[in-house]
Amino acid sequence: MSADGQGRSHWFDDDAGPVVRPYAMTRGRTSSQGQHRLDLIAVVVAEPHADDAEADHMLSPEHVDIVELCRDIPQSVAELAAELDLPIGVVRVLVGDLVDGEFVHVNRPVPPAELPDESILRDVINGLRAL
């Protein structure tokens, strides 16, 4: 036991059980092989052939959970993290692994620099009203 009396309670929460460090789920990695840049609002979509995710012994239970969650309804990276109660960094690595394995694909949001200018949109609306 440590000098401050913490001992066991420092690494164990009676309600939550033993603490599993996030790097254990990602095998110590902080990024996936493909270095995929995943925004919080990037939408993850399961590939149609991803039904065999459970049969792939290289995938962790968290990988399979992500595929399952995205099978019916595409999910954002933030939604996946909340649903699985995992840190965003862990979910990004796991999703990157799934992209590399072609179990999911990611629809990234349009960068603000590529969005049409507000004045162009106003001109289009005014033109439509004039019709």
Side-chain angles (χ1 to χ4, degrees), residues 7-69:
R8 178 182 170 274
S9 65
H10 178 72
W11 295 107
F12 192 87
D13 180 346
D14 289 332
D15 293 331
V19 176
V20 176
R21 298 288 179 209
Y23 64 81
M25 288 179 225
T26 62
R27 298 180 192 118
R29 298 171 297 133
T30 57
S31 63
S32 61
Q33 290 178 347
Q35 296 294 324
H36 300 284
R37 175 71 181 116
L38 299 174
D39 294 323
L40 293 176
I41 58 174
V43 177
V44 182
V45 182
E47 295 290 356
H49 68 276
D51 292 337
D52 58 348
E54 290 182 33
D56 190 326
H57 300 293
M58 297 301 291
L59 297 180
S60 70
E62 292 80 15
H63 285 112
V64 174
D65 289 345
I66 290 171
V67 173
E68 290 294 323
L69 285 170

Side-chain angles (χ1 to χ4, degrees), residues 66-79:
I66 290 171
V67 173
E68 290 294 323
L69 285 170
C70 298
R71 180 166 288 131
D72 296 326
I73 301 171
Q75 304 277 324
S76 72
V77 173
E79 289 172 320

